[in-house]
Amino acid sequence: MTFFAFFGAVELGLVYGLMTMGVFITFRVLNFPDLTVDGSLPLGAAVASVCVAGGMNPFFALIFATLAGFLAGTITGFLTTKLRILHLLASILTMTALYSVNIRVMGGRPNISLLGKRTVFDPVFSLGLPNYLAYNLVFLAFVAAIVAILAWLVKTEYGQSLLATGDNPRMITAMGVNTHFTIITGVGISNALVALSGGLVAQYQGTADVSMGVGTIVAGLASIVVGETLFGTRRVTGAIIAAVLGSVVYRLAIALALGLKFKRFSFTASDLNLITALLVVIALTVPLLKSRLKKRKKGAPFGKKPC
Amino acid sequence: MLRIENLSKRFGKNTASEVLAIDGLSLRVSPGEFACVIGSNGAGKSTLLACVSGATRPDEGKIVLEGEDITRQPENKRAGKIGRVFQDPLSGTCASMTIEENMALANRRGKPRTLRMGITKKEREKFREALSELNLGLENRLRDPVGLLSGGQRQSLSLIMATLVRPTLLLLDEHTAALDPKTANLVMNLTAEVVEKEKLTTVMITHNMRLALLHGTRLLMMHRGQILLDFDELSKSKLTLQDLLEKFDVALPENNTAGVLSDRMLLG
Ligand SMILES: Nc1ncnc2c1ncn2[C@@H]1O[C@H](COP(=O)(O)OP(=O)(O)OP(=O)(O)O)[C@@H](O)[C@H]1O
Ligand SMILES: [Mg+2]
């Protein structure tokens, strides 16, 4: 792998690490397989792009993207709690609806270019840093900020009730928590992070595209299982950090795979989905093999609920 | 205190498997009373508690707790007044969360969840103290995930958690049934101790007649969604196991005792 390919992969790992943290909240904390993310990632990209293209400060644009993602998540939460639609189906419905919404947001077009517009990277570029450092610095700052916020949030009364909702809804209801509220807001927060990730990706790549969300959930899950396998811990905050690291490793693995050459055969970008699926399968089997080889260690990693 | 009027609950309405789980049941429980409920399988005991806790909506009737009509109140809204321990030791706690986190959740029963810290230092002291009374050594394991505890430990913890915020009403649904006899005894004694000390108004379901005679200040027997027999403290104290079996026989002439009362109920 070249020097630039390496940094490029780390960049992607970090920016999609924000998305991975969002997926972690639904998939691992709330036990909620949420496909909304395939629609909320391009939603964030679309909203941020339209705002930036309209001359808005690129940081404010990200705030609007985040809010839009939150809203999308609450819709899925609403469908599944108040209207009692199966969570998976509810999220597919929102995702499907978002496809139309995203095109509307971009003024009827399937993509928007941000060429020549201001982005969140400008202040760092003006320091004279080389590209590969500037991008990583900005993404790292966002990741650090979100990790800090989540680490605080899960320790609050609300955050604890969120964790309990995913673990044992019957118990937390008996403790006076409205699980509809925690699910709706939890899925909202998750998609807010995914949309933030999408908004940043758009500014990074200089374009928002309605189809850029395809495979978001699979990439998120792959990152989570890779993170758990390599860096799994029992504590929530540790697990969140592991998810981000997993995202970086995942992107590095893909870059590595794309660079492989076996005589005349090499992988192409369109093989990504196959590689990802294989990666998830491997990551999911490693713990199984481990546990067969030796007895289970004390305390399962976070999200793999012991009984 | 607790007033139940003409309560009815039907499952599977308009289907072949329709059952009348609660059939026009009325009941008053006074403050400080510790009522044991016995009855055969399917008598409607769990359904009765589910209606009171809000887990199930009754079809008809009224439930009034401390003068407030809670019949249609959502389950989480009435949780502030009602402490519960479930039959399944896994149901009452969050396995992936630590002992202190579980207790902190319980310590906020009925209170709004804010963005303040989920556990405070002061609380930890309170939790340690409450746990040390269990004599299970849990006071030194506050940061262990509850999933590591045994069923008996989890059930004892659930009981402590249910009473951390004083409940107006404590509901216990066969909370010792899933435990081995020795542990069940331990948890039952703890229950009696806590209820007595805190003078908690309690409704406890049990399959064990011996326990029902031993504990509590009132004994109710349910059958087919109704309360068949009701003994107050005085008449209960004079009651023997043999009396109870005979009384049940008389009340239900169409059944012989063996058919209605399982062996589990006698020996438990
Ligand atoms: N969710 C439900 N759906 C359909 N029928 C139900 C449901 N819950 C209870 N029932 C039926 O209602 C009746 C009363 O059940 P309930 O669980 O209250 O009995 P119980 O007295 O607690 O019995 P046990 O001693 O076995 O716990 C039974 O006939 C049962 O099959
Ligand atoms: Mg029952």
Side-chain angles (χ1 to χ4, degrees):
Chain A
M1 195 187 310
T2 66
F3 179 78
F4 287 106
F6 175 82
F7 275 98
V10 174
E11 278 159 18
L12 286 177
L14 288 174
V15 69
Y16 283 113
L18 297 166
M19 172 274 285
T20 305
M21 287 191 267
V23 174
F24 180 89
I25 291 174
T26 40
F27 189 67
R28 280 305 188 211
V29 173
L30 282 176
N31 245 331
F32 188 126
D34 178 31
L35 301 196
T36 315
V37 295
D38 276 31
S40 56
L41 188 103
L43 174 68
V47 170
S49 300
V50 167
C51 289
V52 169
M56 189 189 279
N57 176 307
F59 285 96
F60 282 138
L62 288 178
I63 292 177
F64 280 98
T66 308
L67 286 177
F70 181 82
L71 200 68
T74 56
I75 289 169
T76 300
F78 177 84
L79 293 180
T80 192
T81 54
K82 303 296 181 193
L83 304 189
R84 299 188 186 194
I85 299 172
L86 181 70
H87 45 23
L88 203 58
L89 182 58
S91 69
I92 291 174
L93 289 171
T94 313
M95 176 192 80
T96 307
L98 280 175
Y99 184 84
S100 311
V101 173
N102 291 341
I103 291 180
R104 275 278 167 211
V105 168
M106 295 190 283
R109 282 162 298 159
N111 50 50
I112 276 191
S113 167
L114 291 179
L115 228 63
K117 300 287 178 194
R118 283 201 300 156
T119 68
V120 289
F121 308 104
D122 290 351
V124 192
F125 283 145
S126 65
L127 294 177
L129 286 176
N131 272 8
Y132 67 91
L133 273 184
Y135 288 132
N136 273 313
L137 208 66
V138 171
F139 292 152
L140 203 60
F142 272 96
V143 165
I146 296 299
V147 167
I149 290 173
L150 290 181
W152 162 77
L153 189 69
V154 294
K155 287 216 160 60
T156 63
E157 293 177 339
Y158 165 77
Q160 292 282 301
S161 71
L162 198 66
L163 297 179
T165 301
D167 186 311
N168 189 344
R170 186 175 181 208
M171 175 269 199
I172 198 62
T173 305
M175 295 304 172
V177 169
N178 180 352
T179 53
H180 285 186
F181 176 77
T182 45
I183 289 171
I184 292 172
T185 52
V187 180
I189 292 169
S190 163
N191 282 281
L193 294 181
V194 175
L196 171 64
S197 174
L200 270 171
V201 169
Q203 296 195 22
Y204 169 64
Q205 297 180 336
T207 171
D209 193 295
V210 71
S211 63
M212 68 192 280
V214 175
T216 300
I217 184 69
V218 183
L221 291 183
S223 305
I224 289 172
V225 288
V226 168
E228 276 170 358
T229 310
L230 298 180
F231 319 101
T233 75
R234 202 184 52 68
R235 300 173 64 89
V236 192
T237 308
I240 292 171
I241 295 170
V244 177
L245 294 178
S247 171
V248 174
V249 173
Y250 166 70
R251 298 290 163 177
L252 282 172
I254 285 177
L256 208 63
L258 288 178
L260 287 180
K261 276 199 172 58
F262 308 99
K263 297 200 174 140
R264 259 173 297 158
F265 175 84
S266 65
F267 288 109
T268 68
S270 59
D271 295 326
L272 272 188
N273 287 352
L274 176 66
I275 299 173
T276 305
L278 284 175
L279 207 73
V280 175
V281 171
I282 294 168
L284 287 175
T285 359
V286 167
L288 188 78
L289 293 176
K290 258 193 203 164
S291 73
R292 276 193 194 160
L293 289 176
K294 58 178 181 184
K295 276 189 183 167
R296 273 188 89 96
K297 273 188 295 180
K298 230 177 128 184
F302 182 84
K304 294 182 183 153
K305 268 119 204 169
C307 292
Chain B
M1 173 49 122
L2 174 66
R3 200 171 83 231
I4 298 172
E5 279 171 17
N6 210 8
L7 199 73
S8 288
K9 174 71 191 178
R10 218 176 268 277
F11 285 109
K13 240 175 272 177
N14 304 323
T15 65
S17 59
E18 176 173 319
V19 268
L20 187 56
I22 303 286
D23 182 9
L25 181 150
S26 296
L27 171 69
R28 273 164 190 268
V29 181
S30 343
E33 213 162 52
F34 180 179
C36 296
V37 183
I38 56 174
S40 48
N41 291 110
K45 308 180 293 292
S46 297
T47 308
L48 176 64
L49 286 209
C51 288
V52 174
S53 69
T56 303
R57 286 287 159 87
D59 299 321
E60 274 167 59
K62 205 163 126 181
I63 302 170
V64 181
L65 184 58
E66 274 197 318
E68 188 186 358
D69 186 341
I70 59 169
T71 320
R72 309 252 149 238
Q73 198 176 44
E75 188 179 2
N76 64 293
K77 285 255 172 66
R78 52 179 112 169
K81 298 181 216 95
I82 300 176
R84 279 194 279 169
V85 182
F86 304 110
Q87 174 172 353
D88 180 358
L90 306 184
S91 294
T93 43
C94 288
S96 67
M97 299 176 77
T98 64
I99 294 180
E100 63 176 17
E101 285 172 336
N102 271 277
M103 294 182 83
L105 290 171
N107 205 28
R108 286 164 181 72
R109 181 162 49 77
K111 296 188 190 101
R113 311 296 156 125
T114 67
L115 290 179
R116 279 195 287 265
M117 276 298 112
I119 310 179
T120 63
K121 249 198 199 121
K122 231 169 90 193
E123 276 181 294
R124 279 202 184 96
E125 275 320 299
K126 177 179 170 182
F127 298 163
R128 213 183 292 278
E129 221 164 274
L131 288 175
S132 65
E133 284 177 27
L134 289 178
N135 287 323
L136 294 173
L138 294 182
E139 63 275 16
N140 302 319
R141 301 177 59 185
L142 279 177
R143 286 169 198 248
D144 274 4
V146 167
L148 298 180
L149 304 187
S150 70
Q153 287 172 328
R154 273 176 92 158
Q155 212 58 338
S156 307
L157 177 62
S158 300
L159 188 71
I160 295 291
M161 282 165 55
T163 55
L164 220 43
V165 173
R166 188 192 158 81
T168 305
L169 179 65
L170 179 63
L171 300 179
L172 310 168
D173 187 352
E174 297 198 58
H175 69 305
T176 63
L179 308 173
D180 66 79
K182 196 168 147 246
T183 317
N185 228 355
L186 207 94
V187 174
M188 190 56 233
N189 289 339
L190 175 71
T191 308
E193 216 173 278
V194 173
V195 169
E196 175 123 350
K197 198 173 89 193
E198 305 281 329
K199 308 238 172 329
L200 296 175
T201 313
T202 305
V203 179
M204 176 176 86
I205 296 176
T206 174
H207 255 104
N208 188 324
M209 281 195 168
R210 201 177 46 76
L211 278 188
L213 283 172
L214 201 61
H215 298 287
T217 60
R218 188 173 172 190
L219 178 60
L220 301 164
M221 181 176 279
M222 276 187 74
H223 186 65
R224 292 191 184 157
Q226 294 179 330
I227 290 174
L228 207 63
L229 298 170
D230 185 350
F231 303 97
D232 61 12
E233 189 162 18
L234 191 66
S235 55
K236 178 176 177 291
S237 67
K238 293 181 192 146
L239 215 57
T240 65
L241 201 58
Q242 200 53 42
D243 292 339
L244 201 55
L245 292 174
E246 273 163 24
K247 285 225 161 59
F248 202 68
D249 246 355
V250 173
L252 275 180
E254 82 269 25
N255 286 301
N256 65 5
T257 318
V260 176
L261 305 174
S262 59
D263 289 344
R264 187 154 81 89
M265 234 169 129
L266 290 170
L267 307 170

